[in-house]
Structure formats: structure tokens, C-alpha cells
């Protein structure tokens, strides 16, 4: 027996264990159509969320949550124009300073100064899933596909998984009390179908498959993009050495993770649990010691 | 396109993007690059409500009182023991009510009792509370009415051993989350909780015991209050910039209030607690209120910390830069 308060996966008997599956979300080819959001809601019968107008680009969903299991992020970025850019100068000022071409046109295309980043976010299905580790009822469990799923008939709404998740994925459904998140379409997987979001994605930005194969494919894709002059291209979550032992759903990003609202170095805090309990034991001993100290010298 | 790497210092510096109007510095590319997604939080705020910080206090009082009660028993202070045991039992008894009421599905509370899971401090805590409550029923009955003459001493020992765990596991529980102000304080939080429990138990005993035997509780309250103040100061210092929630908003106000009440209460107990009943009562009540407010402050700080994307991203960037 291992003396540690942290474990990565519950083993299944070989005849029940299936290859680990996941998502490779290649954000470089996401067109922001939100078909994934719609397909997910339809298939999983996820209630409508409070859909207002956010003003944050085309994103009115805003974040993953109990009623949002796929979330498409929209980021509008200025990119360097290759022009002299001093604080306070604008294109108009630059034009006035004689930077326009002889024909009166800008020497760069208008769209070269701007780019969209779009990315469909989802539960990461961590190798070391904090939500699953801290769940006191065993409602959260690891499936034979290596994914992390909430058993809604067991969940009693204690809410511990919610601040435990380093990605802010799982949340409580207010009128229902229980915690909800992406199941990676567990029902469809058992019928050898791909998850609804992956099937609905028209550009194959969301790719479903066996994790090993997806990781190899993603490595090739990131090399291709870097070669094509996209130095910001990077894989997020694919590294089994990261703080959650690698994620089952990983991403190809074109900018730093925090730009997309993702934590740059997420950690399964259960990794520190043994140490935290040791500290607590010491603190408990000091409580006893303090009480004894108060006893000594106090008169009857 | 030129790739610009950001240093970790820049991440925490400005939530909306560094370098706007950069006083004479040479402006680098991508000046308006966001450091967060529209300022939204990266992690989720907890969904726990008032029952949880109340339980932190009440559970701590129960755990500390069990230790104090056993010591009072073995040192021949029956009047203290006869009060500390029921205090411990009563506070342990209201705890499940508080915890169940906070559940999203209270009618399913028993699902906690169907598993024992070492990786979940909430599961471990459920069993600590169950064990302490059970022991305490016997211990209190023995102390008050002399029932269970044989089982009594064992139950008292068991309750006193589980007491320190009940007082500190709640710190373990919140430290084992992605909330930066809780997780990054994992080396100090258990000490804050333990000291706060000692202060509460001492103050309750000083408040309820007859004057002739109030010395033990009074001394423990002063000692615990000193420990609580020192441990929380140390926690805030070690948290560095992450301690911001303890200086602003609700958590900041509660933190100041807690420190004020705890120090004032301990001071009154030290100066006037021995001779004047009013000093003993007033000082004890202030220490109790201070301990409760301290837990509220820590609880609220977690929400403020979770809400701020820079609290989550900043330390992670620093970690990546140093690795």
C-alpha cells in the first residue's frame, strides 16, 4: 500500500478498461460558429443559461459552468503593423506624417493589424483530477475511457469540487443543487459514437480520439504552424509532466493560456495533501501543548 | 511578427495590460494584450454559504473544548470539565445541522456516510466529526451524570484525541482547493485554526466556569488569542501580494475587526479577567467573537481571491519562470 493521499487513476480490470480518449482542440482552425455549444446542449439536455449581451466580442456565454459544457472564447487582438508605433500615434497621424504609399494606400493590409483568436473550451478530464479526488461521496468517478464524470444520482451538492478544479470548469446548478460538467458524452462513448461537439464541429477544430494518437497529431500540427510563421503556437495540457499529469482534453493555442482565460500552470492540489495533513497534525499537537501550558501554573 | 515573452512581474502588475502610456519607456509590441479573459476569473468561487464559516468556528470550539475538558478532568477541575464537555457536545451537535443545511441536496447527506475516502478532507472530516460526536455523548453523560463508568474514560480520551483533528481539518479542507489565498497559505492555515480553536475553547470555559476555577480557561484564551494573532499575521506576511483579500473588501474589514476583538479580549482577560467578573465575561465574549470573525474573514478572502484572475495567474507565471 502506498502511503500517499493522492492517486491518479482508479484501475479497471483489463477486460473492462478501454483506451483513454480525449479531445484535441486545434484553436487555429476554430471559426467561432458555436456549433459545439449548441450540439452539446441539445444532446445532453443542458438547460439554457442566462443569455444576455455581454459586449465581450461575440462571446455571450462567457465561461464554462454547470449549464455550459463547451464555451467558445473570442479574443480580438491588435498585431504589430510593422509601422513605427509610438504611444499616442494613430494610423491617421502616421498617414499625416507621410507614411502612406505614393498611391495613397496603406503599405499594409488592413487585416494585418488585427486578429481573432477563437477557442472552444471544455472540461480537461485531467489525469490527476482534483474534483474527483476531493469528492466526499464518490459521485465523481473515472470511467473506463479515462474520463471524469459526475454520477448525478449520487451527488449531494456539497460543492467541494467547485473551488478544487484548477480550471474553473465544474459548477453548481442553482435550482438543482448538484454539480454538473462535461461528461465527454459518456453515453455516446459506450455506443462507440464520438461526442456531440466533435461531430458537430465543421472545421475539425475539435478532434476526438485515443489520447496517444491525438497527442502525436497535435505535435505535428504545432510544428507545421511554427514553420508557417506562427511562433505563438503552443500545446496546452498535452504534457503528462504538468501539474495535473496531463489533460485528456488538450488544446493548440496561438497565444499564452491566460489570454484565453486558462491557468498557465494548473495544479491538482491533492498533490500537497499529505504535506497539508502533516502541518495540521503539528498544529493539532500545538493545540494540545498550548492547553497543557495553560494548565501548568494556573491555580485551582 | 515579433514574439515577446512576458516576465512574471508584468502579469501581476496590471489586470488589463501593461505598458499603456509607458512613462518614457520604449513601447514594446502588443501593448493591449490582455492578461486575462475580459477580466473574468480563471477558477470558480466556492458556492458555500454562511453555514460553513459558522461551522469552522463551532467545530473549532468543539474540538478545543474536548481537549480542555479532558485536561480539566485529569487535573482535578471538575467544575471546568462539567462545562467544557457539554460545550464540546453542543457545538458538535449543531455542526451536522449546519453542514447538511449547506448541501445542494440536503436529503442526500447520508451519501457522505457511504464512503470513507482519504483523498477527500471533507470525507475524512465527516468521520472525525461523527467519531467525536459519538464519543462526546458518552463523555458528557459520564461527566454530568456519572453514566457509563467504564466506557467514560475511553470516550473522553477518544474525544480529546479527535478534538485537535476536528479543529484543524477544516483548514486542510480549504487549503486543498485551487483558491490561491487558501492553497498558498497551506503551511499556516492549520495553525491559525488550531490557535483560534484554543482561544474559543478557553474563552467559553472562562465564561462559564465559577470564578475559583476560571483560571485555566482564561489562560488558554489569552494563549490562543496570542497564537491566533501571530499565526494569521505570519500567514498574511508569507502570502505577500496574495494577501490582498485580507486588506480590502469584506474580508479585509472582517480581518481588522477580528484582530481588534481578539487582542482587546485577550488584553481585558489578562488585566481584569482574574478579579472582576465583568472583565472575565467581556474579555471572553470578545475573544469568542474575534475567533468567529477570523474564520469569516478567511472564508470571505477565498471568494475575493477566486474572483481575481491575477491571483490565480500571477503565482503560476512566477512558478513557470522559476522552473
Amino acid at each position: 500500500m502506498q502511503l500517499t493521499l493522492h492517486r491518479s487513476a482508479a484501475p479497471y480490470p483489463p477486460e473492462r478498461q478501454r483506451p483513454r480518449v480525449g479531445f484535441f482542440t486545434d484553436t487555429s482552425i476554430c471559426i467561432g460558429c458555436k456549433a459545439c455549444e449548441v450540439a452539446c446542449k441539445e444532446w445532453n439536455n443542458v438547460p439554457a443559461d442566462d443569455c444576455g449581451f455581454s459586449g465581450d466580442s461575440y462571446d455571450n456565454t462567457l465561461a464554462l459552468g454547470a449549464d455550459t459544457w463547451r464555451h467558445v472564447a473570442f479574443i480580438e487582438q491588435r498585431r504589430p503593423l510593422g509601422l513605427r508605433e509610438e504611444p499616442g500615434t494613430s494610423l491617421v497621424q502616421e498617414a499625416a506624417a507621410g507614411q502612406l504609399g505614393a498611391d495613397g494606400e496603406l503599405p499594409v493590409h488592413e487585416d494585418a493589424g488585427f486578429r481573432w483568436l477563437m477557442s472552444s473550451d471544455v472540461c480537461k478530464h485531467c489525469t490527476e483530477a482534483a474534483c474527483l479526488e476531493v469528492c466526499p461521496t464518490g459521485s465523481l468517478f473515472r470511467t473506463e475511457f479515462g474520463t471524469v464524470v459526475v454520477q448525478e444520482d449520487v451527488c449531494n451538492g456539497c460543492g467541494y469540487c467547485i473551488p478544487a478544479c484548477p480550471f474553473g470548469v465544474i459548477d453548481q446548478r442553482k435550482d438543482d443543487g448538484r454539480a454538473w460538467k462535461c461528461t465527454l458524452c459518456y453515453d455516446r462513448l459506450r455506443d462507440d459514437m464520438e461526442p456531440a461537439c466533435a461531430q458537430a464541429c465543421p472545421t475539425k477544430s475539435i478532434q476526438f480520439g485515443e489520447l496517444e494518437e491525438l497527442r502525436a497529431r497535435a505535435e505535428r500540427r504545432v510544428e507545421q504552424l511554427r514553420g508557417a510563421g506562427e511562433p505563438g503556437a503552443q500545446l496546452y495540457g498535452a504534457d503528462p509532466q504538468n501539474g495535473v499529469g496531463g489533460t485528456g482534453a488538450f488544446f493548440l493555442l496561438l497565444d499564452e493560456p491566460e489570454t484565453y482565460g486558462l491557468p498557465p500552470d494548473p495544479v491538482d492540489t491533492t498533490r500537497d495533501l499529505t504535506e497539508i495533513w502533516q502541518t495540521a497534525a503539528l498544529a493539532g499537537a500545538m493545540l494540545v501543548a498550548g492547553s497543557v501550558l495553560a494548565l501548568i501554573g494556573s491555580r485551582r | 511578427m515579433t514574439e515577446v515573452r512576458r516576465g512574471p512581474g508584468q502579469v501581476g502588475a496590471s489586470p488589463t495590460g501593461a505598458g499603456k502610456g509607458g512613462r518614457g519607456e520604449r513601447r514594446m509590441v502588443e501593448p493591449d494584450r490582455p492578461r486575462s479573459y475580459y477580466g473574468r476569473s480563471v477558477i470558480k468561487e466556492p458556492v458555500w454559504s454562511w453555514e460553513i464559516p459558522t461551522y469552522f468556528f463551532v467545530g473549532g470550539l468543539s474540538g478545543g473544548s474536548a481537549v480542555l475538558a479532558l485536561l480539566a478532568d485529569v487535573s482535578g477541575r471538575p467544575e471546568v470539565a462539567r462545562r467544557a464537555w457539554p460545550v464540546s457536545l453542543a457545538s458538535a451537535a449543531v455542526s451536522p445541522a449546519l453542514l447538511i443545511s449547506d448541501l445542494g441536496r440536503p436529503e442526500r447527506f447520508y451519501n457522505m456516510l457511504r464512503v470513507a475516502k482519504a483523498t477527500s478532507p471533507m470525507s475524512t472530516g465527516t468521520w472525525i466529526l461523527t467519531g467525536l460526536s459519538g464519543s462526546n455523548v458518552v463523555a458528557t453523560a459520564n461527566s454530568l451524570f456519572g453514566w457509563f463508568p467504564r466506557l467514560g474514560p475511553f470516550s473522553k480520551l477518544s474525544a480529546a484525541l479527535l478534538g485537535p483533528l476536528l479543529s484543524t481539518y477544516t483548514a486542510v479542507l480549504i487549503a486543498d482547493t485551487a483558491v490561491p489565498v487558501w492553497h498558498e497559505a497551506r503551511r499556516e492555515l492549520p495553525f491559525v485554526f488550531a490557535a483560534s480553536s484554543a482561544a474559543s475553547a478557553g474563552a467559553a470555559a472562562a465564561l462559564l466556569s465559577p470564578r475559583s476555577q476560571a483560571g485555566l480557561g482564561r489562560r488558554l484564551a489569552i494563549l490562543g488569542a496570542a497564537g491566533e494573532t501571530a499565526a494569521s499575521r505570519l500567514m498574511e506576511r508569507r502570502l505577500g501580494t496574495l494577501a490582498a483579500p485580507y486588506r480590502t473588501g469584506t474580508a479585509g474589514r472582517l480581518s481588522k475587526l477580528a484582530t481588534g476583538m481578539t487582542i482587546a479580549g485577550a488584553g481585558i482577560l489578562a488585566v481584569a479577567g482574574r478579579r472582576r467578573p465583568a472583565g472575565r465575561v467581556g474579555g471572553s465574549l470578545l475573544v469568542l467573537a474575534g475567533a468567529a470573525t477570523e474564520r469569516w474573514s478567511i472564508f470571505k478572502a477565498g471568494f475575493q481571491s477566486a474572483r481575481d484572475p491575477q491571483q490565480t495567474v500571477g503565482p503560476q507565471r512566477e512558478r513557470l519562470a522559476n522552473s
Side-chain angles (χ1 to χ4, degrees):
Chain A
M1 196 188 133
Q2 225 180 338
L3 244 180
T4 170
L5 296 177
H6 167 259
R7 42 164 205 187
S8 46
Y12 280 83
E15 68 276 12
R16 280 205 59 213
Q17 185 68 53
R18 301 277 300 271
R20 187 173 177 197
V21 295
F23 288 126
F24 164 38
T25 306
D26 180 354
T27 70
S28 71
I29 50 172
C30 177
I31 56 171
C33 70
K34 304 190 191 176
C36 49
E37 287 192 15
V38 176
C40 173
K41 286 239 179 198
E42 288 287 331
W43 180 265
N44 294 298
N45 206 13
V46 178
D49 33 15
D50 194 18
C51 195
F53 179 69
S54 72
D56 295 339
S57 192
Y58 282 91
D59 185 359
N60 292 316
T61 319
L62 297 174
L64 290 173
D67 296 336
T68 305
W69 300 354
R70 269 279 177 189
H71 163 240
V72 183
F74 292 78
I75 299 126
E76 301 172 13
Q77 282 187 335
R78 280 190 75 190
R79 292 223 289 189
L81 288 164
L83 295 173
R84 185 176 51 86
E85 280 199 281
E86 294 298 331
T89 62
S90 69
L91 285 179
V92 174
Q93 288 168 317
E94 280 156 8
Q99 291 220 353
L100 290 184
D103 51 359
E105 301 238 319
L106 279 171
V108 287
H109 293 293
E110 222 176 302
D111 63 2
F114 179 85
R115 73 168 175 175
W116 284 101
L117 296 178
M118 285 162 280
S119 166
S120 180
D121 197 11
V122 70
C123 170
K124 315 302 178 293
H125 295 276
C126 304
T127 307
E128 298 168 28
C131 61
L132 186 158
E133 307 275 15
V134 304
C135 175
T137 62
S139 166
L140 272 150
F141 80 113
R142 191 169 300 279
T143 72
E144 64 272 34
F145 301 99
T147 57
V148 180
V149 175
V150 188
Q151 299 174 84
E152 298 297 349
D153 53 344
V154 176
C155 177
N156 66 6
C158 78
Y160 197 178
C161 52
I162 294 160
C165 172
F167 300 96
V169 169
I170 193 163
D171 205 355
Q172 188 179 44
R173 210 171 263 175
K174 291 288 171 243
D175 55 344
D176 164 292
R178 293 174 290 180
W180 296 81
K181 72 169 193 75
C182 162
T183 68
L184 218 139
C185 283
Y186 189 35
D187 51 345
R188 292 170 66 99
L189 295 192
R190 294 170 90 174
D191 284 337
D192 295 317
M193 291 166 73
E194 67 177 326
C197 56
Q199 190 175 352
C201 180
T203 65
K204 285 286 161 210
S205 170
I206 301 173
Q207 299 172 35
F208 166 80
E210 290 185 17
L211 196 56
E212 288 300 313
E213 200 265 317
L214 288 180
R215 281 178 177 161
R217 196 189 301 172
E219 290 290 346
R220 290 196 298 274
R221 176 66 180 156
V222 83
E223 284 313 310
Q224 186 189 20
L225 281 171
R226 282 187 186 148
E230 192 58 71
Q234 55 186 289
L235 292 185
Y236 177 76
D239 182 6
Q241 302 302 313
N242 71 17
V244 295
T247 57
F250 64 97
F251 302 80
L252 189 158
L253 304 177
L254 298 181
D255 203 331
E256 301 297 340
E258 52 266 44
T259 303
Y260 298 85
L262 295 165
D265 187 25
V267 173
D268 166 17
T269 53
T270 320
R271 284 184 170 189
D272 300 320
L273 189 53
T274 310
E275 181 207 315
I276 303 173
W277 270 118
Q278 284 164 353
T279 309
L282 190 62
M286 284 190 66
L287 168 60
V288 176
S291 305
V292 172
L293 198 65
L295 186 71
I296 297 169
S298 79
R299 290 177 301 182
R300 299 230 175 136
Chain B
M1 170 186 166
T2 324
E3 175 67 1
V4 175
R5 292 265 153 200
R6 288 193 304 278
Q10 279 172 280
V11 172
S14 159
T16 47
K20 273 186 190 169
R23 298 170 288 257
E25 291 168 52
R26 208 175 138 239
R27 191 173 172 183
M28 301 302 284
V29 289
E30 311 219 352
D32 298 323
R33 202 176 192 188
R35 305 295 188 261
S36 70
Y37 187 67
Y38 299 105
R40 298 188 65 82
S41 64
V42 174
I43 58 167
K44 290 273 185 286
E45 279 177 51
V47 294
W48 298 319
S49 43
W50 65 271
E51 292 97 332
I52 300 304
T54 310
Y55 167 65
F56 288 173
F57 167 70
V58 169
L61 175 62
S62 176
S65 294
V67 175
L68 180 68
L70 183 74
L71 286 178
D73 262 330
V74 297
S75 69
R77 289 174 173 81
E79 290 306 315
V80 178
R82 284 169 64 84
R83 285 162 179 84
W85 282 120
V87 165
S88 181
L89 176 63
S91 39
V94 297
S95 297
L98 290 168
L99 294 174
I100 291 169
S101 144
D102 185 69
L103 292 177
R105 286 289 176 101
E107 74 279 10
R108 288 188 183 176
F109 79 92
Y110 61 86
N111 281 358
M112 302 266 198
L113 304 171
R114 293 171 62 231
V115 278
K117 193 170 159 186
T119 64
S120 172
M122 194 182 284
S123 176
T124 311
T126 302
W127 291 109
I128 291 171
L129 178 59
T130 306
L132 186 127
S133 304
S135 306
N136 232 325
V137 171
V138 178
T140 305
N142 179 270
S143 178
L144 293 185
F145 314 116
W147 298 353
F148 311 112
R150 254 182 263 166
L151 206 54
F154 289 106
S155 299
K156 286 177 174 174
L157 186 63
S158 148
L161 287 175
L162 288 169
L165 289 175
L166 187 73
S167 299
T168 54
Y169 96 84
T170 41
V172 176
L173 191 151
I174 60 170
D176 187 17
T177 64
V179 177
V181 81
W182 290 343
H183 183 66
E184 300 305 325
R186 59 189 178 275
R187 289 179 191 88
E188 296 84 28
L189 267 179
F191 291 103
V192 179
F193 277 45
S196 177
S197 301
S200 314
L207 188 67
L208 300 172
S209 299
R211 194 179 150 193
S212 60
Q213 292 189 8
L216 173 58
R218 195 179 63 86
R219 286 171 62 96
L220 184 60
I222 295 169
L223 208 59
E228 183 182 348
T229 308
S232 57
R233 280 303 83 82
L234 180 70
M235 173 176 80
E236 286 177 38
R237 215 184 58 208
R238 289 210 192 146
L239 277 171
T241 54
L242 278 182
Y246 290 115
R247 297 194 192 102
T248 50
T250 311
R253 283 194 295 277
L254 288 171
S255 176
K256 280 190 200 78
L257 187 64
T259 309
M261 290 198 291
T262 303
I263 291 175
I268 292 171
L269 278 180
V271 176
R274 193 177 302 180
R275 303 233 173 79
R276 295 162 200 234
R280 181 154 59 87
V281 170
S284 300
L285 287 175
L286 273 173
V287 169
L288 280 168
T293 310
E294 177 72 27
R295 311 300 182 98
W296 266 94
S297 161
I298 292 168
F299 178 73
K300 282 287 175 191
F303 286 68
Q304 288 172 222
S305 175
R307 212 174 295 146
D308 180 1
Q310 301 313 319
Q311 287 247 325
T312 302
V313 171
Q316 295 189 14
R317 269 288 157 213
E318 238 162 85
R319 202 156 62 214
L320 287 175
N322 295 334
S323 66

